Amino acid sequence: MTENRKLAAILVADIVGFSRLTGADEDGMLARLRNLRSDVIDPTIAINSGRVVKWTGDGALVEFRSVVLAVRCAIEIQDIMAERNTGVPVEQRIEFRIGIHLGDVVEEDDGDLMGDGVNIAARLEGIAEPGAICISEDAYRQVRSRLDLSVRDMGEQALKNIAEPLKVYALNVGSVGRPLSRQQGEPVKPALQDKPSIAVLPFTNMSGDAEQEYFVDGMAEDIITALSRFEQLFVIARNSSFVYKDRSVDIKQVGRELGVRYVLEGSVRRSGERVRITGQLINSETGNHLWADKFDGRLEDVFDLQDQITASVVAAIEPTLRKAEIERARSKHPENMGAYDLFLQALPHLYLVHPENNLKALDFLMRAIELDPEYAPALAHAGWGLVQRITRPWERYGEDDAGVAVSLARRALAVGSDDAQAVVLGGFTLVMLREDYLTGLDAVRRAVDLNAGSGFVNSMAGSALVFGDDVSAGLQLLDQAMLLGPKDPSFFSHLLVAAFGHLACARPEQSLELALRSIALNSNWDSSYLLIIAAYTSLDRPDDARAAAEKLLAIHPEASASRYDRVLPVRNDAFRNMIIQSLKDAGIPD
């Protein structure tokens, strides 16, 4: 038998008093358990990308690719069970104990998992109170900055058949974390902090055709799944949001009951072979509409249409939520800001790609990292911010910007393995600084696998691939990024990197057109003039190249060909040399 050893987040769950419950009513209990699996447990595990290793009759062993997903799944299950147990006599309640550990496991040929990682999770489950979750210190480190629950430090615990005592934390959720007799409308805290939380309500079927119900429900389910790929979002599972199906709802009440700041609702109307989907995103705290749109299509291939609409809705929602969160962070008093708030404050400054704004962004990000040294988004974006300074003739931020940027990128990759944005920026930084092309390109490709629906991920991965000499693949991702985010504030950057790609493929006309479009959106970006000079040179238009060089020197008098040669991230030496020579020929000093 082949031994495959790996690191995994392991969740072990067990029903409290299972023998007593089955002894009282075996048939009824087994029927309740089957319904529970189909309605709650299986969909919640699936939406959080878990793999059920095995069922044990009264419990389960589940593997997750991150502790965040494992904890999110456990919280959702315990919260749902607390609601289901409301009004049920104590002796008839189904309650779970759950243990979670991040550790080394051995995966056998049949998919079963063995080893200390599994054993410790099982022992943690055994010491959890009914309705609670116990996690090891190794697991707690991965989620401690994201929890907004009552966490009890249980100290070091001697676990049966485990050699060394382990420090254990109890997460008080479900029946332990809040009273089962919660009054209607009483606010419920979101399960995880430092994330915008959103619920997608079941869409309304406006067609009057019950046979279209599968398509209507499928739209909401697909959007939930797509949004769940954004590590920056906390998305309520389908089984929770679908309790509102066929009900007239008050969005503010939905927000309170589900503990979310944002709610997406929509409708589907069919007329012949055409279908119209409408959607609107609402701030559940204020009732304000943040975004609304409609999408039309033909039902020739209903599943392709569903995919297209899902991509369009998600592409619109993600930047809208980010903008709303930035505004919310700006309204906070400085003394109340956490790492997440500081990170949000940095983003609008970082996106401008301007020297003074860049300094403000880096100051916010470095403060965020001081508060939480393992906060992957801040680490990754700080690395990107330093790359902006290093690759332009701007004043240095510190004594060793390149060394710090590389360190931040590697830390982001180490702690943000499931955060597509952190992974793509970590890889992007390594490529842009010509530090480690192989690791960087592997990271950006993995980020696309994690979340292919993110315009930001597509743009950063596409840029890294263009500069890393996988130009064709990079251009495809950049095209997708521009399709997903036509109003992205960094659209000028997407255009310019695409211009680099076309010039690398000996298409100077297309390159020049894209570079001119880029400079029309951001006339102070020196990289655009650099590319325009090279494109004009390739087209044998030396006078135009010299005119572009004069504009570059007017914006950045300290610009030099030798400096661009040091910082230009192009992996292909012949292409980079051609660009640098064109600068010299156009009059940029060496």
Side-chain angles (χ1 to χ4, degrees):
M1 183 174 290
T2 303
E3 181 181 280
N4 178 25
R5 191 172 290 275
K6 62 182 179 179
L7 189 68
I10 302 298
L11 180 152
V12 173
D14 187 69
I15 295 176
V16 179
F18 182 72
S19 298
R20 172 182 56 79
L21 291 167
T22 52
D25 181 7
E26 183 174 10
D27 291 341
M29 177 58 193
L30 294 177
R32 289 174 68 194
L33 188 56
R34 283 193 294 271
N35 290 335
L36 195 59
R37 278 191 54 184
S38 63
D39 294 347
V40 176
I41 300 173
D42 288 343
T44 305
I45 291 172
I47 203 70
N48 288 290
S49 304
R51 177 180 77 89
V52 178
V53 178
K54 59 186 173 186
W55 294 100
T56 59
D58 61 343
L61 168 63
V62 189
E63 175 190 11
F64 293 86
R65 54 192 177 90
S66 85
V67 177
V68 172
L69 292 172
V71 171
R72 179 188 296 175
C73 179
I75 289 170
E76 289 176 1
I77 288 174
Q78 296 290 47
D79 281 349
I80 293 168
M81 292 310 303
E83 295 291 344
R84 286 195 165 210
N85 283 326
T86 302
V88 177
V90 174
E91 66 277 7
Q92 295 178 21
R93 292 176 184 171
I94 297 178
E95 294 182 299
F96 287 101
R97 294 188 180 97
I98 297 179
I100 297 173
H101 177 59
L102 174 67
D104 194 55
V105 297
V106 175
E107 183 174 16
E108 300 189 338
D109 288 345
D110 61 358
D112 198 6
L113 297 181
M114 310 289 287
D116 281 348
V118 175
N119 296 337
I120 290 173
R123 298 308 179 198
L124 292 170
E125 175 270 311
I127 65 172
E129 296 179 24
I133 305 163
C134 277
I135 67 175
S136 65
E137 184 175 25
D138 288 338
Y140 179 64
R141 264 196 301 268
Q142 302 295 315
V143 296
R144 63 186 175 189
S145 65
R146 310 181 188 190
L147 291 174
D148 190 20
L149 294 165
S150 174
V151 180
R152 180 162 55 94
D153 185 344
M154 298 177 64
E156 290 194 342
Q157 297 283 322
L159 303 177
K160 184 178 179 182
N161 296 330
I162 304 300
E164 298 291 333
L166 265 74
K167 192 166 187 178
V168 178
Y169 295 86
L171 310 184
N172 296 330
V173 296
S175 59
V176 177
R178 60 176 72 87
L180 292 179
S181 59
R182 175 172 59 87
Q183 298 297 312
Q184 184 71 16
E186 182 182 334
V188 176
K189 289 183 179 179
L192 297 178
Q193 71 169 2
D194 287 357
K195 290 186 177 185
S197 47
I198 183 171
V200 181
L201 298 184
F203 280 25
T204 303
N205 182 1
M206 306 289 289
S207 304
D209 181 0
E211 292 185 1
Q212 295 302 312
E213 207 67 26
Y214 77 96
F215 176 78
V216 176
D217 287 350
M219 278 306 322
E221 291 172 4
D222 278 3
I223 291 170
I224 290 171
T225 301
L227 287 174
S228 296
R229 295 194 180 101
F230 289 84
E231 185 68 13
Q232 301 79 20
L233 302 180
F234 180 78
V235 185
I236 294 295
R238 174 205 184 279
N239 46 281
S240 291
S241 56
F242 265 59
V243 300
Y244 298 96
K245 186 174 174 61
D246 298 325
R247 287 170 52 186
S248 178
V249 297
D250 179 310
I251 295 299
K252 291 184 179 181
Q253 181 178 330
V254 170
R256 290 192 298 267
E257 290 179 355
L258 295 180
V260 295
R261 284 201 287 269
Y262 306 101
V263 175
L264 176 71
E265 61 177 5
S267 64
V268 179
R269 185 186 299 276
R270 177 180 175 180
S271 177
E273 289 305 306
R274 297 196 63 82
V275 64
R276 168 168 290 184
I277 289 91
T278 63
Q280 52 186 353
L281 183 67
I282 304 166
N283 184 322
S284 67
E285 296 172 351
T286 65
N288 293 336
H289 285 63
L290 302 174
W291 166 87
D293 208 343
K294 62 180 183 292
F295 306 89
D296 296 310
R298 299 188 63 83
L299 283 169
E300 294 169 347
D301 192 330
V302 66
F303 296 113
D304 282 350
L305 175 62
Q306 197 163 306
D307 290 343
Q308 292 168 13
I309 293 170
T310 297
S312 299
V313 171
V314 171
I317 287 174
E318 192 265 339
T320 302
L321 285 177
R322 185 169 61 242
K323 182 179 179 181
E325 287 290 288
I326 289 170
E327 292 304 315
R328 191 180 64 85
R330 282 175 171 167
S331 68
K332 282 193 173 185
H333 292 294
E335 63 270 18
N336 295 329
M337 287 185 187
Y340 174 60
D341 300 306
L342 292 165
F343 163 69
L344 289 175
Q345 294 264 36
L347 293 185
H349 295 292
L350 198 59
Y351 293 150
L352 289 176
V353 194
H354 181 275
E356 295 306 317
N357 292 95
N358 176 277
L359 285 175
K360 292 177 182 178
L362 285 171
D363 288 344
F364 278 124
L365 291 167
M366 295 307 180
R367 286 165 56 195
I369 293 168
E370 285 180 12
L371 289 177
D372 186 352
E374 295 183 352
Y375 188 40
L379 292 167
H381 283 76
W384 179 32
L386 288 172
V387 166
Q388 290 184 11
R389 301 201 74 78
I390 294 165
T391 56
R392 289 172 182 81
W394 297 351
E395 182 183 345
R396 298 283 73 92
Y397 183 74
E399 293 182 1
D400 183 16
D401 287 354
V404 172
V406 170
S407 174
L408 291 167
R410 295 196 186 281
R411 286 167 62 188
L413 291 174
V415 300
S417 59
D418 293 312
D419 187 326
Q421 286 197 8
V423 171
V424 79
L425 282 178
F428 176 84
T429 296
L430 295 179
V431 169
M432 292 295 286
L433 298 183
R434 293 150 62 173
E435 171 69 21
D436 187 344
Y437 278 111
L438 293 180
T439 300
L441 294 175
D442 283 346
V444 299
R445 292 185 181 108
R446 180 159 57 87
V448 175
D449 289 340
L450 285 169
N451 191 352
S454 167
F456 183 85
V457 169
N458 278 280
S459 67
M460 288 297 163
S463 299
L465 291 171
V466 165
F467 290 125
D469 210 24
D470 190 354
V471 178
S472 178
L475 287 173
Q476 289 182 15
L477 292 178
L478 286 166
D479 286 345
Q480 179 69 2
M482 289 187 277
L483 182 66
L484 288 170
K487 297 181 180 179
D488 191 319
S490 297
F491 199 85
F492 69 94
S493 174
H494 309 344
L495 289 169
L496 186 67
V497 181
F500 268 100
H502 283 287
L503 189 61
C505 295
R507 295 190 289 266
E509 294 90 349
Q510 294 96 316
S511 175
L512 180 61
E513 177 188 348
L514 291 168
L516 290 172
R517 288 174 60 194
S518 173
I519 214 163
L521 295 174
N522 188 344
S523 60
N524 291 318
W525 203 26
D526 63 302
S527 298
S528 298
Y529 292 102
L530 178 147
L531 201 283
I532 288 170
I533 293 167
Y536 276 138
T537 300
S538 295
L539 291 168
D540 196 22
R541 294 169 58 178
D543 291 343
D544 291 324
R546 282 191 289 272
E550 290 174 3
K551 291 180 180 178
L552 172 56
L553 289 171
I555 296 171
H556 295 291
E558 67 276 31
S560 67
S562 59
R563 187 182 186 284
Y564 282 117
D565 191 24
R566 289 195 305 272
V567 301
L568 195 62
V570 174
R571 187 181 188 185
N572 185 303
D573 289 336
F575 182 43
R576 185 172 67 253
N577 291 338
M578 182 273 285
I579 294 173
I580 300 306
Q581 187 59 49
S582 71
L583 296 179
K584 295 177 181 178
D585 293 343
I588 300 296
D590 191 29

